[in-house]
Amino acid sequence: MKQTKKTNFVLRAACVLLCLVLISAHFTSGLYAKYIVSATGSDTGRTASFRVSAAMGDENNGEYTITLQNGSETAVCYSVTVQPDKAGMFSSAKLGNLDPKELDASGAFFTFENVGRIAPGGNDSAVLSLTVDPGYPGSDDASSLLDFSNDSVSSGETELPFTVTVTFVQVN
């Protein structure tokens, strides 16, 4: 007689349970999506414009008018630096009623820190007064260049080259 081998009951039950788990996982996987949240968004930003300018007017008795304009969308503060082409050319400098906050030890430049603030779209002006050192240009032949002892000479002119730098800083 032929003998047939019976499959184990436990193995059959395990296969049936595995199939049930796979089928139930398939049907419940849609539930997980209900708890997933997604969001999208967008935004824009821009920077404030920065347009400032400074212009210096003509000399009037050793005084120069500096005109400042702030075309920016934010307030600015400014500092002014006066730098002659040769050190010691000027004995003093004033900006309005301000004395320089910093004078280089060699007399090479004068710095006026945090002179003022200009509101957005505003204007300001300052008067720069320079005093020429009597010994300028300071070389050995200076006496011949600045000697007005001759009676026929009533006046004299010379150029005094210097640079004025205005530094603007945005104020938040």
Side-chain angles (χ1 to χ4, degrees):
M1 186 162 159
K2 251 182 173 183
Q3 278 192 344
T4 59
K5 232 178 178 183
K6 289 186 177 184
T7 20
N8 192 352
F9 176 72
V10 176
L11 185 59
R12 283 185 187 183
C15 286
V16 170
L17 285 175
L18 177 65
C19 289
L20 289 175
V21 167
L22 291 176
I23 291 171
S24 66
H26 171 71
F27 287 118
T28 59
S29 65
L31 293 176
Y32 297 132
K34 291 181 184 177
Y35 300 107
I36 295 174
V37 177
S38 65
T40 59
S42 65
D43 197 3
T44 59
R46 68 180 195 90
T47 58
S49 66
F50 190 73
R51 289 183 308 257
V52 292
S53 64
M56 193 156 97
D58 292 332
E59 184 262 343
N60 183 17
N61 292 328
E63 293 184 345
Y64 300 85
T65 301
I66 302 172
T67 305
L68 309 155
Q69 294 181 338
N70 181 10
S72 302
E73 296 175 349
T74 61
V76 295
C77 65
Y78 61 95
S79 301
V80 177
T81 302
V82 178
Q83 183 172 7
D85 280 1
K86 293 185 180 181
M89 184 165 68
F90 297 118
S91 60
S92 69
K94 280 188 161 237
L95 187 64
N97 59 356
L98 299 174
D99 289 324
K101 301 287 188 250
E102 198 175 303
L103 172 61
D104 182 54
S106 65
F109 61 87
F110 300 92
T111 301
F112 301 90
E113 292 289 335
N114 296 322
V115 175
R117 287 182 178 223
I118 307 174
N123 299 323
D124 197 6
S125 65
V127 176
L128 175 66
S129 303
L130 300 172
T131 305
V132 178
D133 191 325
Y136 175 75
S139 61
D140 292 338
D141 59 345
S143 59
S144 63
L145 291 174
L146 300 175
D147 184 16
F148 297 111
S149 62
N150 189 341
D151 293 335
S152 64
V153 177
S154 61
S155 67
E157 278 187 27
T158 186
E159 269 192 31
L160 302 172
F162 62 94
T163 304
V164 176
T165 305
V166 180
T167 306
F168 293 95
V169 177
Q170 179 178 337
V171 178
N172 292 336

